């Protein structure tokens, strides 16, 4: 601090109290602010330190002394904050003030204190201050400050931010201007803030948002997501290198953020906002981009814009995520019904209704322009709405001059003749009302549920969107399209918000307890996938096979009653796939020494980590062509095998999956797995009869201790015991593990010792290394006992393998 400044503050004001947390210190700091109304290079450090100290005192006063806030408000100290921000030299002051306010509002717990701080409208004036947002630090603190305020909102506090008379809500309006900020953390903070505002149960505030910002914000948000989707599709098409998927992963994660944010808005159940958001999503993104791209454009559409024609693989992934995450009934029901029920005539009508909007490269008016406009009269707002609905101009999004001209054109009031023409255009593109389930009569629903369509190839050709999903189940070159088509079918038919009448209208009986009818054409495709998966050098990955089996079970099997409705013909096809899987696995039985370990590991892996579709859809590697290289770091079930060992492991997994499916559909209980039954094994702290057992005394050297134990080598287990003091010739099991996990090596420097390692069974078999559960030096009384112990371990392990191999031969290869 400058010597003169220090002197001025001590000579002409009070001396700073020693106790920093006291009202006396706040009075002293107020004196500093009062004596330094102007920010300069001389006093800036003093003012920054003063502001920091004020926040500390206020937080202390919130919990210990209410008079602190009384003094703070009586002397209008927030006015000094505003004055400092408005000065030209206030850059560092702005950062400190925003930081101070953020810390202050984050830590205040007393609601009365919060009311005091928000009174007099000073906080709203700070929000409306024109900060220099080209400064990243100021932007970060500003958005963080707004988000912190939003976290405090409730039905009472919203009145401090929303001025109903002037229809102003600066906390929300200023924040949403940053919805598409290039910094991810800023966008996340804005989304958190909007959710905090929406969930406040204040009808007047919701009415303001609906009237003044909802259409503008949601249309710009959908435009932002749409452009991200187009870039994401381009990334998938052009990035075929599996080892260079960092950008693709980041883009996928951003899309997931978009979808979850949309779901968060829907889940707040604010009907007026949900309706606006739904219309923007359906009209500008999900129908004209997602659904249209399910089929080849030139067959049904006259639109030639290549930018909005995304790849079918991308489309299937995007739709699968929508049905997986979104559970807002009006949205998912309409999408599902459109995909399943639309015939060629309906598709052409829908393309006419939405097709022209494919030309949109950006929203009709940028969000900041919309929010800056003040159109109180009803006619002007109607004009803006019409602009939003019928603007068909193509604009280069990279040309800022063209965009500004475009925004200027659409900000002008349109002529009555133009409005009349536009109304006719909108009427000609009316949505077909007979398509959606919400428009069905009760008789129609009853008829569809009682007379489901058992589609054949001819009938399927009349349903372009649903037919595209079924056709994608072919695995000619690879299983990419098949995987994502299965994902769409699975997520769509199991989404709790999709009416069962819709999906059962084409025999998709996933939700029905009565599965005596099912889509035989689809089950034929699924059985064919199972047969293809059992062939040598199959291009179907374990993940795809798992989804096919899961979907097949949901179609034909009742989990609660454990009843299968599968026809004999289809069950025979599954049995044939099981036999082929057995034959394929038999090829490796005499060749692979590690087959038993792999057999046990695969079974353990299936039990511990069942396939989850939500995890599979989050992995960007599934969007790239399947690879065989383990160096890619991709989990084995998500790629093709490399080398004989991995091919054997894949055959084991395919065998397990198809065999389990066959047993369930045949109502046969599993009695043969696991090979070694846990109930037949000893557990820690069990009492063991030592009569007629070979015991070898040893000392176990661990890192920090030594234990004296007796080694017992059982037919199936490695066991360490200590004598039971209560019962002669009995021992208590202190450690045990299966023999297949034990590895013993002689100590080169000590003939009395062995180094014994017991490997921990991994939860993910594709992780190369795992920490051992035991790694210790075992010292025996002499070298004879040491040699005997090693030989017994080797023989026991050989016996273990013979027993398990005999079980495999007996149960599966006989």
């Amino acid at each position: 601090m400058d010597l003169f400044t220090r002197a001025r503050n001590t000579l002409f004001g009070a001396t700073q109290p020693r106790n920093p947390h006291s009202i006396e210190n706040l009075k002293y700091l107020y004196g500093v602010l009062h004596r330094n109304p102007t920010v300069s290079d001389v006093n800036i450090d003093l003012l920054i330190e003063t502001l920091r100290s004020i926040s500390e005192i206020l937080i202390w006063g919130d919990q210990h002394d209410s008079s602190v806030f009384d003094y703070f408000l009586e002397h209008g100290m927030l006015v000094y904050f505003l004055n400092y921000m408005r000065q030209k030299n206030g850059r560092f002051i702005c950062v400190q003030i925003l930081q101070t306010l953020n810390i202050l509002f984050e830590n205040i717990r007393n609601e009365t204190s919060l009311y005091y701080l928000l009174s007099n409208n000073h906080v709203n004036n700070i929000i409306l201050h024109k900060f220099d947002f080209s400064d990243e630090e100021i932007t970060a603190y500003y958005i963080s400050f707004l988000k912190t305020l939003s976290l405090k909102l409730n039905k009472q506090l919203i009145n401090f931010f929303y001025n109903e008379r002037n229809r102003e809500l600066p906390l929300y309006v200023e924040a949403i201007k940053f919805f598409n900020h290039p910094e991810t953390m800023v966008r996340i903070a804005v989304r958190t803030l909007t959710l905090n505002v929406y969930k406040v149960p204040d009808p007047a505030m919701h009415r303001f948002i609906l009237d003044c910002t909802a259409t503008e914000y949601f249309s710009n948000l959908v435009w932002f997501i749409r452009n991200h989707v187009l870039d994401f599709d381009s990334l998938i098409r052009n990035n075929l290198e599996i080892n260079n998927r960092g950008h693709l992963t980041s883009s996928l994660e951003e899309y997931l953020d978009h979808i979850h944010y949309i779901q968060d808005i829907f889940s707040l159940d604010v009907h007026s906002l949900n309706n606006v958001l739904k219309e923007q999503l359906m009209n500008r993104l999900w129908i004209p981009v997602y659904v249209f791209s399910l089929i080849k454009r030139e067959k049904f559409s006259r639109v030639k814009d290549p930018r909005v024609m995304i790849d079918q693989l991308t489309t299937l992934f995007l739709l699968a995520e929508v049905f997986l995450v979104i559970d807002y009934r009006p949205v998912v029901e309409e999408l599902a019904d459109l995909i399943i029920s639309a015939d060629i005539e309906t598709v052409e009508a829908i393309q006419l209704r939405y097709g022209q909007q494919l030309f949109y490269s950006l929203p009709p008016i940028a969000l900041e322009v919309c929010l800056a406009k003040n159109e109180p009269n009803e006619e002007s707002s109607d004009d803006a709405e019409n602009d939003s609905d019928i603007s068909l101009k193509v604009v280069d999004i990279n040309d800022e001059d063209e965009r500004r001209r475009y925004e200027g054109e659409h900000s002008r009031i349109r002529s009555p003749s133009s409005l009349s023409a536009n109304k006719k255009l909108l009427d000609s593109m009316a949505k077909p009302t007979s398509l959606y389930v919400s428009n069905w009569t009760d008789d129609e629903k009853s008829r569809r549920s009682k007379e489901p369509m058992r589609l054949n190839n001819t009938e399927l050709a009349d349903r372009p969107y649903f037919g595209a999903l079924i056709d994608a189940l072919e695995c000619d070159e690879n299983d990419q399209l098949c995987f994502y088509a299965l994902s769409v079918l699975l997520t769509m038919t199991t989404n709790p918000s999709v009416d069962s009448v819709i999906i059962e209208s084409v025999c998709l009986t996933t939700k029905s307890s009565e599965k005596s009818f099912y889509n035989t054409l689809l089950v034929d495709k699924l059985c064919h996938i199972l047969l293809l998966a059992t062939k040598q050098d199959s291009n179907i990955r374990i993940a795809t096979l798992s989804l096919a089996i899961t979907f097949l079970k949901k179609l034909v099997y009742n989990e609660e009653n454990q009843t299968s409705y599968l026809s004999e013909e289809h069950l025979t096809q599954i049995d044939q796939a099981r036999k082929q899987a057995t034959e394929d696995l038999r090829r490796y039985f005499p060749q692979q020494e590690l087959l038993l370990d792999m057999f046990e590991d695969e079974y353990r892996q299936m039990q511990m980590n069942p396939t989850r579709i939500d995890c599979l859809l989050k992995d960007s590697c599934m969007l790239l062509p399947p690879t065989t290289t383990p160096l890619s770091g991709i989990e084995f079930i998500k790629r093709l095998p490399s080398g004989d060992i991995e091919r054997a492991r894949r055959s084991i997994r395919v065998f397990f999956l198809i065999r389990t499916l066959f047993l369930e559909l045949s109502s046969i209980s599993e009695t043969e797995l696991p090979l070694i039954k846990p109930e037949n094994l000893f557990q820690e702290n069990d009492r063991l009869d030592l009569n007629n057992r070979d015991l070898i005394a040893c000392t176990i050297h661990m890192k920090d201790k030594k234990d004296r134990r007796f080694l017992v080598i059982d037919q199936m287990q490695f066991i360490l015991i200590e004598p039971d003091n209560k019962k002669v010739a009995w021992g208590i099991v202190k450690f045990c593990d299966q023999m297949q996990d034990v590895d013993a090596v002689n100590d080169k420097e000590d003939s009395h010792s062995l180094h014994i390692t017991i490997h921990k069974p991994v939860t993910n078999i594709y992780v190369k290394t795992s920490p051992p559960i035991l790694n210790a030096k075992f010292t025996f009384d002499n070298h004879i006992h040491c040699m005997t112990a090693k030989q017994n371990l080797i023989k026991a392990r050989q016996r273990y393998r013979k027993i398990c191999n005999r079980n495999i031969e007996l149960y599966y290869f006989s």
Side-chain angles (χ1 to χ4, degrees):
M1 188 186 303
D2 181 80
L3 183 62
F4 176 75
T5 303
R6 186 190 301 274
R8 185 161 62 90
N9 281 288
T10 51
L11 289 174
F12 300 101
T15 305
Q16 184 169 10
R18 292 185 178 181
N19 184 5
H21 298 150
S22 62
I23 192 169
E24 288 76 18
N25 191 34
L26 182 63
K27 292 177 180 178
Y28 167 79
L29 295 174
Y30 168 72
V32 174
L33 297 180
H34 184 68
R35 289 188 293 274
N36 294 271
T38 304
V39 181
S40 66
D41 293 339
V42 174
N43 65 4
I44 189 166
D45 291 337
L46 171 67
L47 292 177
I48 288 175
E49 178 61 25
T50 300
L51 292 171
R52 188 195 62 77
S53 300
I54 288 173
S55 65
E56 288 185 3
I57 296 173
L58 290 176
I59 293 170
W60 171 84
D62 175 57
Q63 301 177 11
H64 299 93
D65 188 354
S66 61
S67 63
V68 167
F69 271 91
D70 294 337
Y71 186 88
F72 180 84
L73 293 169
E74 286 174 7
H75 290 77
M77 295 175 75
L78 278 177
V79 176
Y80 288 93
F81 290 19
L82 274 168
N83 290 337
Y84 290 147
M85 290 191 301
R86 290 166 179 165
Q87 295 178 30
K88 292 182 180 180
N89 297 327
R91 187 265 174 194
F92 293 105
I93 288 291
C94 284
V95 171
Q96 183 59 52
I97 288 174
L98 290 172
Q99 189 177 15
T100 297
L101 291 171
N102 194 30
I103 294 172
L104 186 59
F105 281 99
E106 200 172 55
N107 289 278
I108 284 182
R109 299 290 178 266
N110 191 313
E111 200 166 273
T112 304
S113 301
L114 200 57
Y115 289 166
Y116 285 165
L117 279 175
L118 294 173
S119 60
N120 298 324
N121 211 39
H122 292 317
V123 171
N124 282 328
N125 289 332
I126 292 173
I127 293 172
L128 290 169
H129 177 72
K130 301 299 181 182
F131 291 97
D132 178 13
F133 293 119
S134 62
D135 189 314
E136 293 182 1
E137 191 175 12
I138 287 180
T139 303
Y141 279 121
Y142 178 75
I143 293 299
S144 180
F145 169 53
L146 298 189
K147 187 186 80 169
T148 300
L149 289 174
S150 74
L151 293 171
K152 301 288 183 180
L153 289 178
N154 55 38
K155 194 172 182 179
Q156 290 73 38
L157 287 178
I158 193 65
N159 296 315
F160 289 101
F161 297 99
Y162 173 55
N163 186 326
E164 188 172 358
R165 176 181 295 178
N166 298 331
R167 293 175 67 84
E168 294 176 344
L169 183 56
L171 176 65
Y172 172 76
V173 172
E174 295 302 314
I176 61 175
K177 294 177 182 178
F178 296 87
F179 83 100
N180 61 349
H181 193 275
E183 188 63 42
T184 303
M185 296 308 296
V186 173
R187 295 200 302 272
I188 292 174
V190 170
R191 292 179 177 187
T192 303
L193 182 147
T194 58
L195 294 172
N196 291 334
V197 171
Y198 296 155
K199 70 182 180 183
V200 177
D202 189 298
M205 183 265 295
H206 285 160
R207 186 74 238 174
F208 162 78
I209 293 174
L210 181 66
D211 292 343
C212 301
T213 68
T215 301
E216 291 79 5
Y217 173 54
F218 290 146
S219 66
N220 276 266
L221 175 66
V222 170
W223 161 77
F224 179 69
I225 297 173
R226 176 172 167 159
N227 276 276
H228 171 72
V229 164
L230 298 177
D231 293 338
F232 180 56
D233 175 61
S234 177
L235 202 57
I236 293 173
R237 295 180 194 230
N238 301 323
N239 185 11
L240 303 180
E241 178 55 51
I242 198 72
N243 291 320
N244 185 25
R245 58 183 187 275
H247 291 302
L248 183 61
T249 299
S250 299
S251 189
L252 185 149
E253 290 173 350
E254 185 172 350
Y255 177 72
L256 295 182
D257 288 342
H258 296 325
I259 290 295
H260 283 282
Y261 175 55
I262 290 169
Q263 169 59 19
D264 288 341
I265 296 176
F266 283 142
S267 64
L268 294 176
D269 206 24
V270 182
H271 296 295
S272 57
L273 298 181
N274 285 357
N275 289 336
V276 176
L277 179 57
K278 179 227 173 191
E279 289 303 315
Q280 291 295 328
L281 285 166
M282 299 298 285
N283 294 348
R284 305 293 172 84
L285 181 64
W286 287 346
I287 292 179
V289 179
Y290 291 14
V291 177
F292 278 19
S293 296
L294 278 175
I295 57 178
K296 291 184 179 180
R297 184 66 48 77
E298 59 269 15
K299 187 174 181 180
F300 293 100
S301 175
R302 302 164 186 83
V303 178
K304 303 299 181 183
D305 184 5
R307 177 165 166 73
V308 293
M309 180 63 181
I310 62 178
D311 189 73
Q312 191 179 29
L313 176 70
T314 310
T315 302
L316 293 172
F317 162 75
L318 297 172
L319 284 171
E321 284 292 350
V322 169
F323 286 116
L324 178 67
V325 176
I326 306 296
D327 62 7
Y328 183 56
R329 181 177 292 274
V331 164
V332 293
E333 205 165 67
E334 185 172 324
L335 275 177
D337 195 26
L338 178 60
I339 292 170
I340 289 175
S341 305
D343 55 19
I344 293 178
E345 182 180 353
T346 305
V347 169
E348 290 177 345
I350 293 291
Q351 296 260 15
L352 178 63
R353 165 68 176 86
Y354 294 102
Q356 297 296 334
Q357 297 187 37
L358 292 169
F359 280 108
Y360 277 116
S361 292
L362 46 77
I365 306 176
L367 180 58
E368 289 195 21
V369 176
C370 293
L371 298 178
K373 288 167 59 178
N374 183 15
E375 298 177 343
N377 62 71
E378 188 173 336
E379 181 181 358
S380 298
S381 61
D382 290 341
D383 295 344
E385 183 177 351
N386 288 328
D387 275 353
S388 175
D389 284 336
I390 62 173
S391 176
L392 307 177
K393 179 172 180 172
V394 181
V395 179
D396 183 0
I397 61 171
N398 297 314
D399 190 333
E400 292 296 330
D401 293 335
E402 186 174 357
R403 173 165 181 159
R404 281 194 291 269
R405 287 197 300 273
Y406 181 59
E407 291 166 352
E409 291 173 9
H410 285 265
S411 62
R412 291 194 289 268
I413 299 177
R414 308 185 65 184
S415 65
S417 60
S418 175
L419 294 177
S420 176
N422 291 330
K423 186 176 185 304
K424 292 179 181 179
L425 177 59
L426 287 173
D427 291 341
S428 69
M429 299 194 302
K431 184 188 303 182
T433 57
S434 60
L435 176 63
Y436 306 121
V437 68
S438 58
N439 297 308
W440 292 354
T441 63
D442 292 339
D443 291 340
E444 174 72 7
K445 289 184 179 182
S446 177
R447 183 182 65 80
R448 290 210 186 195
S449 60
K450 291 179 180 178
E451 301 176 9
M453 294 188 64
R454 290 164 172 79
L455 298 176
N456 54 37
N457 289 324
T458 303
E459 293 168 331
L460 194 63
D462 191 49
R463 298 193 175 207
Y465 298 141
F466 189 59
L469 281 181
I470 305 300
D471 291 342
L473 297 178
E474 298 292 339
C475 303
D476 298 328
E477 297 181 4
N478 60 52
D479 67 343
Q480 272 190 293
L481 282 179
C482 178
F483 170 79
Y484 282 111
L486 285 168
S487 299
V488 173
L489 288 167
L490 195 56
T491 54
M492 175 173 63
T493 56
T494 57
N495 188 301
S497 296
V498 177
D499 196 314
S500 60
V501 174
I502 297 175
I503 59 177
E504 287 182 16
S505 66
V506 287
C507 299
L508 298 179
T509 52
T510 55
K511 294 182 179 180
S512 175
S513 58
E514 172 60 47
K515 300 176 186 288
S516 56
F517 65 91
Y518 55 83
N519 192 308
T520 55
L521 181 63
L522 182 55
V523 172
D524 281 338
K525 295 276 188 182
L526 296 174
C527 289
H528 184 60
I529 293 172
L530 267 59
L531 288 167
L532 288 178
T534 61
K535 292 185 177 182
Q536 293 185 32
D537 300 322
S538 172
N539 61 2
I540 296 177
R541 292 167 288 181
I542 299 297
T544 304
L545 177 62
S546 299
L547 287 192
I549 289 174
T550 301
F551 188 46
L552 179 60
K553 282 177 57 180
K554 288 187 176 296
L555 286 173
V556 303
Y557 186 69
N558 190 320
E559 296 272 1
E560 294 182 2
N561 302 329
Q562 296 184 343
T563 304
S564 170
Y565 296 90
L566 196 67
S567 68
E568 287 296 327
E569 178 187 355
H570 285 131
L571 187 60
T572 302
Q573 292 183 39
I574 295 174
D575 189 30
Q576 181 185 352
R578 180 186 65 85
K579 292 176 181 177
Q580 284 187 194
T582 305
E583 288 296 322
D584 184 54
L585 181 57
R586 182 181 281 120
R587 295 186 299 117
Y588 299 100
F589 185 70
Q591 301 173 8
Q592 293 290 341
E593 294 182 1
L594 298 176
L595 186 66
L596 174 60
D597 291 337
M598 291 189 288
F599 205 83
E600 292 278 288
D601 286 344
E602 283 297 328
Y603 181 75
R604 184 188 300 127
Q605 176 70 10
M606 283 185 58
Q607 300 303 309
M608 298 181 67
N609 294 323
T611 303
R612 291 176 50 190
I613 188 172
D614 56 333
C615 295
L616 291 174
L617 289 175
K618 289 179 182 177
D619 198 331
S620 62
C621 73
M622 301 301 292
L623 291 164
L624 299 174
T627 182
T628 60
T629 173
L631 299 178
S632 61
I634 296 173
E635 190 179 355
F636 180 73
I637 65 170
K638 301 173 186 176
R639 60 177 174 83
L640 297 173
S642 173
D644 288 340
I645 292 179
E646 287 196 343
R647 290 190 188 96
R649 191 177 287 281
R650 181 190 181 279
S651 294
I652 294 170
R653 179 61 76 92
V654 171
F655 168 76
F656 279 144
L657 288 171
I658 297 180
R659 179 177 180 275
T660 303
L661 173 67
F662 176 75
L663 292 179
E664 288 185 341
L665 296 181
S666 303
S667 301
I668 300 174
S669 301
E670 175 62 81
T671 59
E672 299 163 2
L673 288 175
L675 296 176
I676 307 300
K677 303 294 188 291
E679 58 268 20
N680 298 333
L681 300 176
F682 292 105
Q683 305 294 329
E684 287 189 19
N685 298 319
D686 283 353
R687 281 181 163 75
L688 180 64
D689 186 356
L690 302 181
N691 292 303
N692 300 320
R693 290 186 182 273
D694 292 330
L695 303 178
I696 304 178
C698 61
T699 301
I700 305 173
H701 299 267
M702 306 292 286
K703 287 184 178 180
D704 53 353
K705 63 178 181 176
K706 291 193 300 184
D707 290 322
R708 188 69 174 173
R709 294 284 185 265
F710 287 90
L711 174 62
V712 178
I713 300 175
D714 183 68
Q715 188 178 32
M716 306 300 294
Q717 287 180 283
F718 172 94
I719 303 172
L720 295 174
I721 68 165
E722 68 177 14
D724 188 350
N725 297 327
K726 298 180 180 179
K727 199 170 184 180
V728 179
W730 283 73
I732 299 174
V733 177
K734 291 299 181 182
F735 178 86
C736 57
D737 196 75
Q738 295 183 32
M739 286 303 305
Q740 70 165 354
D741 301 325
V742 180
D743 186 23
V745 180
N746 288 103
D747 190 317
K748 296 180 181 179
E749 299 178 356
D750 184 359
S751 61
H752 294 188
S753 299
L754 292 176
H755 287 282
I756 296 179
T757 303
I758 299 180
H759 300 282
K760 179 181 180 181
V762 294
T763 56
N764 187 336
I765 61 175
Y766 310 110
V767 176
K768 295 181 179 180
T769 60
S770 61
I773 57 176
L774 178 67
N775 186 9
K777 178 180 177 181
F778 284 63
T779 301
F780 299 89
D781 294 340
N782 52 60
H783 74 282
I784 301 296
H785 287 173
C786 181
M787 291 174 57
T788 302
K790 185 176 181 182
Q791 289 175 358
N792 288 346
L793 286 171
I794 293 172
K795 290 178 181 179
R797 184 158 183 167
Q798 290 173 346
R799 285 196 304 269
Y800 181 92
R801 289 181 176 277
K802 285 181 181 179
I803 293 171
C804 293
N805 286 340
R806 187 168 64 250
N807 290 343
I808 293 175
E809 282 189 288
L810 177 64
Y811 295 144
Y812 309 120
F813 299 149
S814 58

